[in-house]
Amino acid sequence: MIFKGRDLPVFKAALHTHTTVSDGKFAPAELLKMYAREGFDVFAYTDHKKTNPISSYANEGLTLISGIELHPEGPHGTQWHLLALGVPEDFPGEWESAQAAINSVNASGGVIFCAHPEWCGITSADIAELTGLAGLEVYNRSCINCGKADNETVWNELTDRGIYYPALAVDDTHSWSHFAFAWTMIAAAERSVPALIDALKNGYFYATQGPEFTRLEIVDGLFTAEFTEAEEAVLIGIGPSGHLEAAPDYPRHGNYKLVTKLVQPIEKTWLEGPFRCRIRDKHGHYAWSPVLTA
């Protein structure tokens, strides 16, 4: 994949999962085998308040990441759900505040994201008060049960505030109904834990429900995105700014096309500042680039 001018391999990653170590239906070894059969390259164990002894697990050919989901008390009667990746296997599960948890994860060499904010009742204003987050989840399959799988509104609001987080797509697997619906494609020099965590820290990844990007770059003011067939490709900027490249026409218009590329001079678009690219395939599945700057 050509990502920000670098030609990097990409790795299919399941970054939010739960096993019988906390409240998941599947045992750790069973869930790992399920993802291996689906062609994943990277798997993170992120049970609630508990790490897994992954150094003692058979890896089934995947790169295993030690993770944990943390739940410090949140604002206005809420609870934070923070997804920590790349932490030590003995990382503690109890924290008095979100900021303390974030600071400790970063100090340990890990990386931390805000999980499913809309499901939690967490607002963009709440997230904006924190420092040290690496991003948030734009899509969380398990939250489909209450109609709050999509967190794009919160993402838009953060971008409008000048906080340019990238975003993950995850299953948050607890049962079969969550399994293998969304994942994160990490662009890293190699499939080692240090390289993957470094890529996550630096925003070298994109979120997807299936569609794939093969190029995302801006060179001399020209934005280029290449991707698998999509019926919609749009650039989403700050506030009302953006650029629609393709959208399905209604049957009465007698026209329908699929696109695989978006090439656009930034100065000729109605864009203000940083933006991201979102595509949708003919099955209604989305992929989201990170926020990009010219």
Side-chain angles (χ1 to χ4, degrees), residues 135-269:
L136 73 158
E137 294 176 348
V138 62
Y139 181 83
N140 180 300
R141 171 64 185 187
S142 75
C143 296
I144 198 171
N145 296 336
C146 63
K148 294 184 177 180
D150 180 8
N151 300 281
E152 198 157 10
T153 296
V154 173
W155 196 12
N156 285 333
E157 291 172 353
L158 286 167
T159 303
D160 291 347
R161 285 173 170 265
I163 301 172
Y164 306 130
Y165 282 143
L168 310 173
V170 300
D171 286 332
D172 194 359
T173 315
H174 291 77
S175 66
W176 272 112
S177 63
H178 310 146
F179 170 65
F181 281 91
W183 51 91
T184 300
M185 299 295 287
I186 305 175
E190 61 183 23
R191 189 162 57 102
S192 66
V193 173
L196 294 166
I197 296 300
D198 185 67
L200 290 171
K201 288 180 178 180
N202 289 287
Y204 275 70
F205 59 89
Y206 68 88
T208 184
Q209 298 169 326
E212 296 182 0
F213 289 104
T214 55
R215 181 184 294 268
L216 285 167
E217 65 176 350
I218 302 171
V219 178
D220 296 330
L222 184 68
F223 171 71
T224 301
E226 296 175 358
F227 38 81
T228 51
E229 284 190 338
E231 67 175 15
E232 178 185 278
V234 63
L235 303 183
I236 301 171
I238 295 172
S241 70
H243 172 77
L244 180 63
E245 180 71 10
D249 289 331
Y250 290 107
R252 67 173 179 268
H253 291 204
N255 184 32
Y256 184 83
K257 66 176 182 178
L258 296 173
V259 296
T260 58
K261 181 181 287 190
L262 193 165
V263 179
Q264 186 66 37
I266 300 302
E267 65 179 15
K268 295 183 178 180
T269 62

Side-chain angles (χ1 to χ4, degrees), residues 12-289:
K12 186 176 181 179
L15 298 179
H16 192 162
T17 66
H18 296 281
T19 72
T20 51
V21 170
S22 59
D23 62 345
K25 177 180 178 181
F26 306 105
E30 182 182 11
L31 189 60
L32 180 59
K33 289 178 181 178
M34 289 163 56
Y35 276 96
R37 289 194 294 266
E38 286 290 321
F40 280 74
D41 304 301
V42 180
F43 183 91
Y45 286 98
T46 59
D47 279 300
H48 299 285
K49 299 184 180 182
K50 297 178 182 178
T51 55
N52 280 256
I54 65 168
S55 58
S56 66
Y57 290 174
N59 63 21
E60 300 295 336
L62 281 72
T63 298
L64 302 187
I65 293 177
S66 175
I68 188 171
E69 188 171 359
L70 303 171
H71 306 296
E73 183 178 349
H76 42 83
T78 63
Q79 186 181 67
W80 288 98
H81 284 230
L82 301 173
L83 185 73
L85 302 166
V87 295
E89 291 182 22
D90 61 351
F91 195 81
E94 298 287 349
W95 294 91
E96 292 185 0
S97 72
Q99 193 61 62
I102 293 167
N103 293 345
S104 185
V105 169
N106 288 330
S108 77
V111 61
I112 187 164
F113 295 84
C114 180
H116 48 69
E118 293 203 15
W119 185 92
C120 295
I122 295 293
T123 69
S124 59
D126 299 329
I127 298 171
E129 292 182 1
L130 301 176
T131 60
L133 285 172
L136 73 158
E137 294 176 348
V138 62
Y139 181 83
N140 180 300
R141 171 64 185 187
S142 75
C143 296
I144 198 171
N145 296 336
C146 63
K148 294 184 177 180
D150 180 8
N151 300 281
E152 198 157 10
T153 296
V154 173
W155 196 12
N156 285 333
E157 291 172 353
L158 286 167
T159 303
D160 291 347
R161 285 173 170 265
I163 301 172
Y164 306 130
Y165 282 143
L168 310 173
V170 300
D171 286 332
D172 194 359
T173 315
H174 291 77
S175 66
W176 272 112
S177 63
H178 310 146
F179 170 65
F181 281 91
W183 51 91
T184 300
M185 299 295 287
I186 305 175
E190 61 183 23
R191 189 162 57 102
S192 66
V193 173
L196 294 166
I197 296 300
D198 185 67
L200 290 171
K201 288 180 178 180
N202 289 287
Y204 275 70
F205 59 89
Y206 68 88
T208 184
Q209 298 169 326
E212 296 182 0
F213 289 104
T214 55
R215 181 184 294 268
L216 285 167
E217 65 176 350
I218 302 171
V219 178
D220 296 330
L222 184 68
F223 171 71
T224 301
E226 296 175 358
F227 38 81
T228 51
E229 284 190 338
E231 67 175 15
E232 178 185 278
V234 63
L235 303 183
I236 301 171
I238 295 172
S241 70
H243 172 77
L244 180 63
E245 180 71 10
D249 289 331
Y250 290 107
R252 67 173 179 268
H253 291 204
N255 184 32
Y256 184 83
K257 66 176 182 178
L258 296 173
V259 296
T260 58
K261 181 181 287 190
L262 193 165
V263 179
Q264 186 66 37
I266 300 302
E267 65 179 15
K268 295 183 178 180
T269 62
W270 191 40
L271 282 167
E272 298 178 4
F275 63 94
R276 65 181 184 273
C277 181
R278 186 185 69 198
I279 59 176
R280 185 182 72 212
D281 68 16
K282 63 183 179 182
H283 304 293
H285 299 150
Y286 287 91
W288 302 263
S289 82

